[in-house]
Amino acid sequence: MPTTDEAMLPGVTVVVETFLLGTTGGRLTYRTASRALTDDEHPDAVARALAGVAADGLLHSTSWRFASGRIVLTYAALPDPDPGSATVVRAPGQTLAAGDGPLSPSPGRVDADDVAVHACRHLAFLRRTDPVVKASAARHRVLWDLLDEHQPAVAGLLRPA
């Protein structure tokens, strides 16, 4: 049985994608940085390098997906050290990407806005349940107040019929 640091799928490209969350003009923003993982790298280390956040920031793995023949591991990092050219996060309450049903969990199409909103909802949930995330929130109140506008949710949350 391989350890967690060994490749589980030889020959499959794994991409580390980091969503840097920040604020500009009182609005929540994101930008992305990504690159393929090499055989000897840990995804956390690649995400940390891509993020470039300060020591008082936060890096958290939020999701993964299969896209274009690759496994994409997504991380959220905050606060964004350079949010000036970032995209504004879609307003809370808008429809999220979802699968067709309980046995088809993957949406047909997932865009960057969908991933950003999912990360925001995930972090809003963790702020209430994880002491490390809660401590980060206390250090970056303006950013976390904007994150809290997103309905807290865990990954894979099923909606009632």
Side-chain angles (χ1 to χ4, degrees), residues 17 19 30 32 65 109-118:
E17 166 185 72
F19 275 69
Y30 75 88
T32 63
R65 68 187 181 282
R109 181 176 179 279
V110 177
D111 62 27
D113 284 346
D114 296 322
V115 177
V117 168
H118 172 79

Side-chain angles (χ1 to χ4, degrees), residues 23-90:
T23 61
T24 300
R27 298 175 81 181
L28 184 61
T29 62
Y30 75 88
R31 63 187 175 93
T32 63
S34 63
R35 77 169 175 79
L37 189 65
T38 64
D39 290 340
D40 295 331
E41 293 180 303
H42 193 285
D44 292 358
V46 173
R48 203 170 16 260
L50 289 169
V53 296
D56 69 341
L58 177 74
L59 179 69
H60 186 79
S61 174
T62 60
S63 62
W64 71 272
R65 68 187 181 282
F66 184 75
S68 303
R70 307 174 305 167
I71 302 290
V72 181
L73 304 177
T74 302
Y75 288 77
L78 55 107
D80 184 348
D82 185 24
S85 63
T87 302
V88 173
V89 174
R90 187 170 58 206

Side-chain angles (χ1 to χ4, degrees), residues 6-7 45 49 51 53 57 62 76 86 100 126 140 150 158:
E6 293 180 28
V53 296
T62 60
D100 293 333
L126 289 175
H140 303 284
H150 293 268
L158 295 177

